[in-house]
């Protein structure tokens, strides 16, 4: 049969079950966009910026079994999307990235968008392919999909030159998608070794990352069986239910809240599941990891990178935990967690009370606001946090209960993630509420994507924490420099931004108006209207995470450097420089 490369690409995407393709058309991709417009199962969505489209595709995969796809023009379209692709790569999120490519048979140099796209994408994807024959279109896209979802997930990149996409070529029988198995073998000998360590431990603990998000039931069963506290990474916040009595919080080192620090004090056996012990997840590596470390991760490359493991189990978290729980059950390894649970509950309540009492009463207390979100939003809501000071406030004061899903840019740490990611989450989960928490600086980057939400009738609520600064960095500048260079923002007219993007505008200026305004926001979002809520937030109190990070990094400095920085800060404070 004779088919264009665009037709073949559409066929492959339909076989894979791709539902949404995000991007902005250009001269190299118009043929494929025209094919997608005729697809009965694929919806191409126009975005305001390719990076926003990438974050939408990222959120599709983080909040559903679907894979998000991105279709961009070569050159500038791909470089615009690169930040979102890099975020997916470091965070372990599958994504299918398609771009056009220059003509290969035109015989001309210096073509439009002519750069080495394979070299550009290679460091931030799991695999890159350039298709040069029509017969290779379908098998290559299948191969790319398989690479994206197996092992440690991640983005993949396929380049479709415009002459392959636009013109027709002879192809043989089209291959059916055979599916892909995500099963991994579990080393039973390693499971038994892990059981030995856990049985000998007096105070075991669980440290849980994004890679264990699909194994919540198995994690709860393990924690209850061995009477262990559970702490998560930032990215893994929704991997263990925050309303469970053994949930201690985010992290357990010096950057953790008191409940987690106290629960993990004297931990003599740590079971780490689906985490790489990265800088953010460990609070700048401030966690104290015992020698008896059982490390479970689907990617064997992560073992022993930052903390040596006594037992290494390279397998899918759910399968490994099922085997571990069965083996522990046969041994009768059971502990009573009653006292531990009571201490965790008391520490959590005390921390929230203390934070609510402090701060600037003329502005909105973050703990009070997030407590209201917890009360008002459904128990299966999707919470999207951007990168900034608000990220860790959300992590510490908005509990991710059993049905909630939390997503946030973590290891690549892209600002501007939340608004487009909330759109992707809502598309993939139309029946669930979606609320985004974003700083005013991050909102400036991708807030125009609210126009995409309005155009598609997506009722998301965006809480803009507005303090007029890039708060996390401004706070870090204040002590050592006594000045805030390039972190004070120009005033924003968020009401005008809402009007320009066909969104509903609401404002919260004090604690007194929190509940009533949030209630209106939920009602409007339920009608399919995006809602922008301008929150006059109080950042005068630091989170446990921020205080811990500052303390641990200060301790690592040489004494002379501490003295130099301290003297400079004091001098500037005294002279007012």
């Amino acid at each position: 049969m004779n088919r264009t490369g665009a037709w073949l690409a559409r066929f492959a995407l339909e076989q894979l079950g791709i539902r949404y393709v995000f991007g902005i058309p250009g001269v190299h991709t118009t043929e494929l966009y025209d094919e997608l417009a005729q697809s009965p199962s694929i919806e191409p969505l126009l975005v305001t910026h390719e990076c926003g489209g990438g974050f939408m595709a990222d959120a599709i995969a983080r909040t559903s079994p679907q894979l998000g796809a991105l279709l961009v023009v070569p050159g500038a379209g791909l470089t615009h999307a690169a930040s979102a692709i890099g975020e997916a790569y470091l965070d372990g999120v599958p994504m299918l990235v398609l771009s056009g490519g220059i003509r290969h048979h035109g015989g001309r140099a210096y073509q439009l968008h002519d750069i080495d796209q394979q070299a550009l994408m290679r460091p931030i994807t799991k695999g890159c392919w350039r298709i040069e024959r029509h017969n290779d279109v379908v098998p290559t896209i299948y191969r790319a999909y398989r690479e994206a979802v197996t092992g440690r997930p991640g983005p993949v990149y396929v380049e479709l030159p415009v002459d392959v996409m636009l013109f027709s070529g002879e192809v043989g029988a089209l291959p059916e998608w055979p599916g892909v198995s995500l099963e991994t073998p579990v080393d039973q000998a390693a499971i038994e070794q892990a059981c030995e360590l856990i049985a000998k431990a007096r105070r075991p603990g669980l440290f849980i990352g994004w890679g264990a998000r699909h194994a919540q039931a198995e994690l709860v069963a393990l924690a209850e069986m061995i009477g262990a506290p559970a702490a998560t990474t930032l990215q893994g916040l929704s991997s263990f239910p925050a309303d469970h009595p053994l949930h201690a919080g985010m992290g357990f080192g010096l950057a953790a809240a008191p409940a987690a620090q106290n629960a993990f004090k004297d931990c003599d056996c740590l079971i780490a599941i689906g985490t790489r012990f990265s800088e953010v997840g460990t609070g700048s590596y401030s966690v104290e990891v015992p020698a008896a470390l059982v490390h479970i991760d689907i990617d064997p490359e992560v073992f022993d990178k930052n903390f040596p493991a006594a037992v290494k189990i390279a397998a899918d978290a759910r399968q490994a935990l099922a085997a571990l729980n069965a083996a522990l059950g046969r041994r009768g390894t059971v502990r009573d967690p009653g006292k531990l649970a009571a201490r965790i509950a008391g520490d959590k309540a005390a921390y929230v009370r203390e934070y609510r009492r402090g701060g600037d009463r003329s502005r909105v207390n973050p703990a009070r606001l997030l407590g209201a979100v917890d009360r008002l939003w459904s128990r299966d809501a999707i919470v999207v946090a951007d990168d900034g000071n608000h990220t860790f406030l959300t992590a510490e004061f908005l509990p991710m209960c059993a049905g909630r899903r939390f997503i946030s840019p973590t290891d690549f740490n892209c600002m501007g993630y939340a608004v487009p990611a909330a759109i992707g989450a809502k598309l993939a989960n139309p029946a669930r509420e979606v609320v985004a928490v974003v700083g005013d600086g991050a909102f400036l980057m991708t807030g125009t994507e609210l126009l995409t939400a309005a155009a598609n009738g997506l009722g998301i609520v965006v809480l803009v924490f507005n303090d007029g600064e890039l708060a996390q960095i401004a706070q870090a500048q204040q002590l050592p420099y006594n000045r805030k260079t390039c972190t004070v923002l120009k005033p924003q007219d968020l009401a005008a931004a809402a009007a320009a993007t066909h969104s509903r505008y609401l404002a919260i200026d004090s604690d007194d108006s929190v509940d009533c305004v949030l209630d209106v926001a939920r009602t409007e979002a339920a009608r399919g209207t995006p809602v922008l809520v301008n929150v006059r937030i109080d950042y005068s109190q630091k989170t446990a995470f921020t205080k811990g990070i500052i303390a641990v990094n200060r301790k690592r400095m040489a004494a002379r450097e501490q003295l130099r920085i301290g003297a400079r800060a004091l001098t500037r404070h005294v002279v007012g420089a």
Side-chain angles (χ1 to χ4, degrees), residues 363-364 369 436 438-441 443 450 461-468 491-498 503-511 513-514 517-518 521 531-538:
R363 302 181 75 91
V364 179
L369 176 81
V438 58
D440 44 1
F443 180 79
L450 280 174
V461 176
V462 177
L463 304 176
V464 180
F465 279 22
N466 191 350
D467 74 321
Q492 303 178 44
D493 188 341
L494 292 179
S503 304
R504 175 68 189 274
Y505 175 79
L506 299 168
I508 301 177
D509 294 319
S510 68
D511 290 344
S513 59
V514 166
V517 173
L518 292 182
V531 183
L532 189 163
V533 184
N534 182 4
V535 183
R536 191 170 175 269
I537 201 71
D538 171 27

Side-chain angles (χ1 to χ4, degrees), residues 22-34 46 50 71-78 98-101 112-113 160 162 165-166:
F22 304 95
I24 301 174
V27 295
H28 293 74
T29 58
T30 52
E31 188 74 11
L32 183 48
Y33 270 98
D34 189 67
L46 174 65
E50 288 91 348
L71 173 57
V72 297
V73 297
L78 194 59
L98 304 172
S99 88
L112 179 67
H113 300 314
L160 283 159
V162 67
M165 189 120 60
L166 184 61

Side-chain angles (χ1 to χ4, degrees), residues 190-204:
I191 291 291
E192 294 300 329
Q193 292 172 5
C195 288
E196 290 288 341
L197 288 181
I198 295 168
K200 292 176 183 176
R202 294 180 300 105
R203 293 184 176 177

Side-chain angles (χ1 to χ4, degrees), residues 358-365 511 536-541:
D360 179 356
R361 295 303 178 91
S362 69
R363 302 181 75 91
V364 179
N365 184 289
D511 290 344
R536 191 170 175 269
I537 201 71
D538 171 27
Y539 276 158
S540 63
Q541 300 183 90

